[in-house]
Amino acid sequence: MADSTALSPAAADRPVYVIGGGPGGLAVAYTLRARGIRAVVLEKSDRVGASWRGHYDRLHLHTTRRLSGLPGLPMPRRFGRWVSRDDVVRYLEKYAEHHELEIVTGVEVSRVDRAPDGQGWLLHATGGRELTGAAVVVATGYNHTPHLPDWPGREEYTGELLHASAYRNAEPYAGRDVLVVGVGNTGAEIAVDLVEGGASRVRLAVRTAPHIVRRSTAGWAAQYSGVLVRRLPVGLVDRLSRPLAKVSVPDLSAHGLPRPDTGLYSRVLEGAVPVQDVGLIDAIRAGKVEVVAAVDGFEDGKVALADGTFVEPDAVVAATGYRRGLEGLVGHLDVLDSRGKPLAHGARTPAGAPGLYFTGFTNPISGMLRELAMDAEKIARAVAKRGAERLSRLPVA
Ligand SMILES: Cc1cc2nc3c(=O)[nH]c(=O)nc-3n(C[C@H](O)[C@H](O)[C@H](O)COP(=O)(O)OP(=O)(O)OC[C@H]3O[C@@H](n4cnc5c(N)ncnc54)[C@H](O)[C@@H]3O)c2cc1C
C-alpha cells in the first residue's frame, strides 16, 4: 500500500534525497522534478552511471533500446537495437544534463535514520555530512557488492583469481587457460569473449544448468516475451517455455549442459534470469567452451570441482554475482528481508518507514531498465501524493 502519511509544513521544505546516480536514481530524480519536487541525487563516485562505466568492454544491453530508455528522454536511434556499454554511459550523462538534475557527486551515504523530529529521514554521508530529506529513495543498485563465495582454500590460493566485476576484456588472457565460474549472463558472455580474444582454453564451471534463450528470434526480442508473460501465472509460463526452448535452443546435454529441471519463470523468481545467447551455444557445440562441474574449493594450487576432479587454470574469473549491500545503510530499520532485499519497492514503502522508497532491487524477466523507468513514475506519484502541495518545490521558471 502506498504511504499516505502527510508531512508537516516544516518537513515539507526538505528535498527528496535520491541515493545513487545510476539509471534508477536518475529516473526518479527526473520524475520528481517533472512534478516540481526538488530531488537531490547523492552519488558516491565522481560521475553518474558508475556501474556502467565499470562493466566489461564488449557488453551490450540484452534488452532493446526502445524498452530500455528512461522517462522523458528516449535513447537515440543511432545507438542501434542493442546498445553498447559506452552508449549507455553517454545516454546517462545526457539524461542528467538534459533534465538539469541536481546531482552531488563524491558523496557516499553510509546510514539512513529517522529524522529526530519524526518527519522524514536523516542521512549520514561522506565528510560527516548530515542531511535531512522529506523522503529518501534508495537506488544503490542490485549489483552493488561483488560476491566471491567463501570457497575452502580460497585465501591460500596463489593463482590468479578475480571477480567478473574486475574483468574488462580478453587481452590479458590471450594464450592462457581460463576457468570462468558461473553461468549467468555475465559468465556466459565472458567465456565467449575469452574464446574470441584468443584464450588457449576456456572452461565454464556450472552448478545449476541455466535456461538459455535466443536474444532475438526472427526479429522478436526475448524481452518482448518477458514483457508479455510478466503477469501470467508462474506455472503456466514454466509450461509454455519448455516446448519453446526445445525448438529454439539445441540440446547441449552431450556437452555437459542438460536442460534445466526447474521452470524458466520459477528460476527467475529465485533470482536467475535466463541466459541470453550471445555466442555461448555455438562455442559450446564447437568445443571452444568446455562445461565442467561447479567449483568446490581450492587445494594445493588447484581448483577442486564438485565431481571430484581438479583443474589447474592460469586464471579463474568468478562470475558469481553481487549482493545488495543494504545492511549498513538501512538494515537497522527493519526494512530488509532475510536475504537483504527491501521488503517493498516502487511506490510502496516498508511498514513503519513512510517516505523510504526503494528502486532497482527486483530482477524482472521483462528487463530491469524498463522496470526502473516504471518505478520512477510510481515513486514520484507516491511522493507527490504524500507531500500534497507542501513538498520543497522548485521555483517556477
Ligand atoms: C553486466 C550487466 C548487464 C546488464 N544488462 C542489462 C540489460 O541489458 N537490460 C536491463 O534492463 N538491465 C540490465 N542490467 C541490470 C540493470 O539495468 C543495471 O544493473 C542498472 O545499472 C541498474 O541501475 P541502478 O540505478 O539500479 O543501479 P546502478 O547502475 O548500480 O547505480 C547505483 C549507483 O549508486 C551509487 N551508490 C551505491 N551506493 C551508494 C551510496 N551508499 N551512496 C551514494 N551512492 C551510492 C553507485 O556508485 C552507482 O552509481 C545489467 C546489469 C549488469 C550487471
Side-chain angles (χ1 to χ4, degrees), residues 18-26 42-45 47-52 55-56 59-64 67-68 83 88 92 107-111 126 139-144 185-186 189 223 322 325 329 359-361 363 366-372:
V18 179
I19 312 176
L26 297 180
L42 304 172
E43 166 54 49
K44 70 175 175 185
S45 77
R47 287 174 297 177
V48 299
S51 297
W52 275 92
H55 290 327
Y56 49 90
L59 182 63
H60 283 68
L61 288 180
H62 292 162
T63 50
T64 67
L67 295 186
S68 303
V83 179
V88 172
L92 296 176
V107 174
E108 178 169 10
V109 180
S110 51
R111 186 179 163 102
T126 309
T140 48
Y142 188 87
N143 301 298
H144 185 271
N185 275 299
T186 298
E189 192 158 7
Q223 187 189 11
Y322 294 81
L329 194 66
T359 186
F361 296 97
N363 203 3
S366 45
M368 179 83 104
L369 290 165
R370 178 175 176 273
E371 189 89 351
L372 291 172

Side-chain angles (χ1 to χ4, degrees), residues 132-180:
T132 310
V136 170
V137 184
V138 180
T140 48
Y142 188 87
N143 301 298
H144 185 271
T145 312
H147 170 67
L148 209 51
D150 199 10
W151 286 304
R154 196 191 88 189
E155 295 301 325
E156 294 76 44
Y157 182 66
T158 50
E160 187 175 339
L161 167 64
L162 65 148
H163 186 270
S165 56
Y167 178 93
R168 290 290 161 274
N169 55 52
E171 221 177 278
Y173 307 98
R176 299 176 72 199
D177 175 346
V178 188
L179 174 69
V180 179

Side-chain angles (χ1 to χ4, degrees), residues 325-338:
L326 289 168
E327 288 78 6
L329 194 66
V330 293
H332 54 287
L333 298 170
D334 285 336
V335 294
L336 303 178
D337 68 14
S338 56

